[in-house]
Amino acid sequence: MLSAAVAANSFDSIADNGRRFVSDVLIVDDDPVLRGITELFFKKRGAGRIRSAGDGVEGLAALKEAQGDVELIVCDLNMPNLDGIQFLRHLGEAGFGGGVLLISSDPPAVVKAAESLARAHRVRLVGALRRPVKIDQLEEAVHRFLVAPDPFEAEAAEPIDIDELTYGIANNEITAVYQPKLDVATLSVRGVEALARWNHPHLGSVAPGRFVPTAEEFGLIGELTEAVLSRSIAASQRWRARGIELSMAVNISSQLLARLNFPDELRDKVVSAGLEPRDFVLEVTESRLLQRDPNCAEVLARLRLMGFELSIDDFGTGHSNIEHLRAFPFSELKIDQSFVRHAADDPFARASIDASVSLGKNLGLRLVAEGIETGKDWLLVTEAGVDQVQGFYIARPMSAEAIERWMLNATLDDGG
Ligand code: C2E
Ligand code: CA
Ligand code: CA
């Protein structure tokens, strides 16, 4: 188990661990004083290059001059000539691939509209801060930008070749990494979530966002899940042999829940490995199938009867909602990371978290918040009453061996 002090130490080192700062930033603001303060912040924190512009027109010119070097734009919404809203459109049209941080004193509804617009233009919005901006808010937003992967990167990448994927699965190229889930009350690690990775011979480690949808589309999801389960079971056995007992959460595509023999197959696999269903959490995200297929209800109910834990994943998104809590025997609710990520500056996100916690508590579910990237995120969800946290701030997904070192280090330090 991790003691509070050890945990705090390791989180600090993870948060700052050799992290680089922004290499090239563009600040667009018509108020010279506020612009100066932002410039000073980036200068003090060691930004490689700082560019400044007094409005959107100047901003676009500076961007052009930078020839693709700008990594982050900090932009005021309300500006003369070309305002922030128009500026976002131009950024989208120019295919700007960096991050954009909005700063404004405009009403929340206007800021919300700007956020939707940024998404529509496929501009990567890092956050929207309200004036007066505090240094730690700025710090946090920039940190968030630096640790988070580019949300559009996976989609922009080349589509996966189905023959390659079929071969890759058969050739044992599917592996898993494991991300710790931390118990808030005790600060101990209770379990991990297994996340699929494809060790592609040319592309390197491929994220599941690129191949899970392909696997689902071409009927390969059973084989893929089988591969991840085999890895996860082997990892559990390895850890147990070294005295580390962790529950294993596995993502289960709702397609599999339409297969009536899925519970029996899963139980056999688990039991023959010397493990028990209660050592596993099955994380399910709904799709259309789940609603329409009556088999799903039977499969989920039987899995629960056998002792598997069931988690409703991505709760609060269009894919996962309150109706499913009524229909299926879930034991855990995972609040979607989009709410967690925006909670600090978004009253709607915060209200969603509170509502999910209250609902979950009333139904006797364990509450997990994923996507914890900063200390503030942690504080916020803890105050809201979640039981477990998961996210880059605590630990990134790691190999089975790395989990072992991570756990053992924490335990050793704990004694001394
Ligand atoms: P998910 O189940 O919601 O898993 C959480 C995702 O968020 C993971 O991405 C994880 O690396 C990422 N993440 C964790 N902490 C943070 C954080 O603090 N900040 C940010 N920005 N991201 C964080 P990953 O590994 O790329 O997986 C993406 C999705 O792919 C998963 O989302 C899950 O829906 C799906 N997936 C992964 N493995 C499997 C699998 O074996 N089977 C199926 N069917 N789906 C899988
Ligand atoms: Ca999940
Ligand atoms: Ca999720």
Side-chain angles (χ1 to χ4, degrees):
M1 280 199 196
L2 285 140
S3 72
V6 174
N9 278 339
S10 52
F11 302 151
D12 282 345
S13 64
I14 289 162
D16 296 328
N17 190 3
R19 191 132 278 300
R20 66 187 183 85
F21 198 61
V22 181
S23 59
D24 195 321
V25 61
L26 168 62
I27 298 157
V28 191
D29 197 323
D30 62 313
D31 185 320
V33 176
L34 296 175
R35 195 168 65 226
I37 294 173
T38 315
E39 284 168 13
L40 194 66
F41 166 80
F42 280 95
K43 197 169 164 193
K44 287 212 153 153
R45 289 291 276 112
R49 165 118 203 221
I50 300 163
R51 304 167 198 265
S52 286
D55 61 31
V57 175
E58 281 183 27
L60 288 176
L63 201 62
K64 201 165 169 192
E65 192 194 293
Q67 299 186 335
D69 282 347
V70 172
E71 197 182 1
L72 177 69
I73 299 177
V74 182
C75 180
D76 181 19
L77 260 190
N78 206 331
M79 297 180 292
N81 299 329
L82 190 78
D83 62 39
I85 300 274
Q86 295 168 299
F87 186 60
L88 282 173
R89 169 166 48 81
H90 284 281
L91 288 181
E93 284 166 5
F96 175 63
V100 178
L101 176 60
L102 292 177
I103 296 187
S104 86
S105 28
D106 303 280
V110 176
V111 178
K112 281 245 86 64
E115 286 177 359
S116 313
L117 211 70
R119 265 194 298 281
H121 289 305
R122 306 185 65 71
V123 170
R124 180 180 169 194
L125 205 63
V126 176
L129 302 178
R130 271 186 76 72
R131 293 198 205 281
V133 176
K134 297 196 197 79
I135 291 295
D136 62 335
Q137 288 179 315
L138 203 55
E139 191 93 50
E140 213 179 280
V142 174
H143 169 73
R144 209 182 276 275
F145 164 66
L146 289 171
V147 298
D150 182 346
F152 301 126
E153 196 175 54
E155 297 170 50
E158 267 179 56
I160 287 299
D161 183 291
I162 182 64
D163 294 331
E164 257 183 4
L165 183 58
T166 310
Y167 177 79
I169 296 174
N171 198 33
N172 277 327
E173 288 171 10
I174 301 297
T175 61
V177 286
Y178 308 89
Q179 188 177 34
K181 288 161 100 174
L182 193 85
D183 199 82
V184 182
T186 61
L187 285 182
S188 60
V189 179
R190 288 294 170 81
V192 294
E193 176 179 3
L195 296 157
R197 294 290 181 267
W198 181 8
N199 264 334
H200 191 280
H202 309 303
L203 300 174
S205 178
V206 181
R210 279 188 74 187
F211 61 88
V212 167
T214 312
E216 285 181 330
E217 190 183 341
F218 292 92
L220 286 172
I221 195 67
E223 287 83 347
L224 178 77
T225 307
E226 182 86 25
V228 174
L229 271 166
S230 298
R231 297 276 185 176
S232 307
I233 287 174
S236 285
Q237 290 173 323
R238 181 193 162 104
W239 296 333
R240 269 155 216 261
R242 289 156 175 84
I244 301 168
E245 204 152 306
L246 294 172
S247 92
M248 178 68 75
V250 182
N251 290 285
I252 301 295
S253 162
S254 51
Q255 273 189 25
L256 292 176
L257 303 177
R259 301 188 187 173
L260 288 173
N261 55 352
F262 176 68
D264 309 273
E265 286 171 8
L266 185 64
R267 180 179 52 189
D268 289 350
K269 197 171 164 73
V270 162
V271 170
S272 64
L275 299 166
E276 290 178 58
R278 65 184 169 89
D279 302 326
F280 289 80
V281 182
L282 309 178
E283 297 192 2
V284 181
T285 310
E286 180 260 1
S287 74
R288 263 160 298 147
L289 202 89
L290 195 59
Q291 278 170 334
R292 293 215 197 106
D293 197 316
N295 289 359
C296 287
E298 175 179 332
V299 166
L300 282 171
R302 289 194 61 227
L303 286 167
R304 193 81 187 90
L305 266 181
M306 289 174 178
F308 289 103
E309 297 239 16
L310 296 181
S311 172
I312 181 162
D313 207 350
D314 302 337
F315 190 77
T317 65
H319 295 297
S320 187
N321 60 54
I322 189 165
E323 263 308 302
H324 299 111
L325 289 177
R326 182 204 290 279
F328 309 115
F330 287 106
S331 49
E332 178 184 283
L333 184 159
K334 269 188 118 167
I335 298 169
D336 191 62
Q337 47 180 290
S338 58
F339 298 113
V340 175
R341 197 167 313 139
H342 295 124
D345 344 275
D346 180 348
F348 178 81
R350 206 183 293 212
S352 305
I353 293 175
D354 287 339
S356 304
V357 170
S358 152
L359 182 68
K361 286 254 147 94
N362 274 310
L363 297 172
L365 306 178
R366 177 171 59 229
L367 287 143
V368 183
E370 63 177 356
I372 306 293
E373 291 181 354
T374 65
K376 200 171 196 174
D377 294 346
W378 177 326
L379 208 68
L380 232 140
V381 298
T382 309
E383 275 168 6
V386 307
D387 305 301
Q388 291 187 355
V389 285
Q390 179 185 352
F392 293 166
Y393 184 66
I394 295 135
R396 285 182 173 263
M398 298 176 253
S399 69
E401 297 76 30
I403 285 282
E404 195 180 309
R405 282 193 298 274
W406 195 78
M407 292 293 296
L408 290 178
N409 276 340
T411 316
L412 285 180
D413 290 354
D414 208 15

